[in-house]
Amino acid sequence: MEENKKSGIGIAIAQIVMIATCFAAGWITKELMPAPKGPAGMPPMMMGGAQSAAVTNAEMRVYNLPERFIAHAEPVQEVDLLPQVDGYIKEVLFKEGDIVQAGDVLYVLDDERYQAVVNQRKADLSAREAEERRTKRMYDRLLAADARGITQLERDNAEAAWETAKAAVAQAKANLVVSEYDLKKSKVIAPITGQIGKSSAHVGDYVAPLKGALARIVQVDPIRVTFPLTDRSYIAWRQAKLNGTEDALRMRLVLPDGSDYKGEGTWDFDDNQMSKETATIIMRLSFPNPDRLLVPNSYVTLLTDFQNPPSYPSVPQTALFDLPGGNQAVWVVNEEGKVEARPVTTKEAADGWAPLITGVEAGEKVVFAGVHKLQPGMSVKESVPTANEDITPNFKRADEE
């Protein structure tokens, strides 16, 4: 009897274990099995009445989201001041950091030696000119004399002497020009207008062409701003230029401190080849810089947008949801009060609003809160979004039109 009782208990325990195993297997199978899906890979439609959802109208909005580039400021011109003659500096006629004008005298070298050479060359020229006049008079007399008293050799010698004297005059004039040039170059003159930097020489220093630059002048107004443009963007820009519509773009700068720079840029020129490594081309813009806020070799942010920006049908960014395959869509409420998933193409969202290039017309009703609760064909009841729903600030509902 005791053995039968133990056997009955064992059978009961085995049955309990089997039932528990079957239940666990069924539960695991249910969890692993994919749930049935509705159209376009969406969850099956819920049973019951209309689903509450926040609805608004797609509205035309101006779209002018600027494109941003990291740009580099560089001078249009920069010049190293090199002395063209040697000598001791007698005067320095500028203050380091000043804006100097083209033609300003910046350094004056001791010119006593060069002035003496000029005086000598002038004296040499006067002597050569006197000799030229004497030989010409001699030649003229021989030409006027009786041919029977003058030999042809004498005439030839007189003519040669006159020609030699004329050549000596030309040489003396050339020597005078060279000496006057050296005297002129004893003054170092600014070749361009710009800001002059630190001087490497001072009064009393001996300078020479081979001893290096005295200072550098950098043009700061206007100034050039360069930035890399991708090959695709360059083609679009080039086509706009060919069509005469490149002026539709507005080019502005943001300074390193985050403030807007006053003044718009104009196209200067683009480089003549594309970089093989980055597939970009360097574009150059010209900006006025009277206050010298743009410093050569500094970095700024360039913003490009439209002078007359376009408008697009726009919806709150929260109205968008993803479709299988990576596309996007919005829930559009039709005249029957039911929703349909409308695929759309968009531009980059700005200020919480997504401009739609295709898919939705202005005035159509779209759901912008609670979009993940909806299914195709479901009836919706327009409602105010709850506080925990992700909505666009300053939205406008359809019932507030």
Side-chain angles (χ1 to χ4, degrees), residues 124-125 128-129 131 163-173:
D124 290 344
L125 177 59
R128 299 302 182 186
E129 289 175 337
E131 178 64 15
E163 295 292 340
T164 300
K166 288 194 293 183
V169 169
Q171 183 177 2
K173 288 181 178 179

Side-chain angles (χ1 to χ4, degrees), residues 55-59 363-365 395-401:
V55 177
T56 188
N57 290 342
E59 58 183 72
E364 291 191 278
K365 292 183 178 182
F395 72 94
K396 180 173 63 176
R397 301 193 306 274
D399 57 3
E400 294 179 336
E401 292 290 336

Side-chain angles (χ1 to χ4, degrees), residues 13 15 40 51 101 104 117 140 162 217 255 302 313 320 373:
I13 293 174
Q15 288 177 342
Q51 174 71 44
Q101 304 296 319
D104 287 353
V117 174
D140 290 341
W162 180 40
I217 300 176
L255 297 175
L302 172 69
L320 300 174
K373 303 175 183 178

Side-chain angles (χ1 to χ4, degrees), residues 60-66 305-306 308-312 314 346-351 353-356:
M60 294 298 294
R61 279 179 168 255
V62 173
Y63 181 77
N64 203 22
L65 184 65
D305 53 15
F306 293 97
N308 299 304
S311 297
Y312 297 96
S314 302
T346 73
K347 299 182 76 70
E348 183 179 351
D351 298 327
W353 289 81
L356 306 181

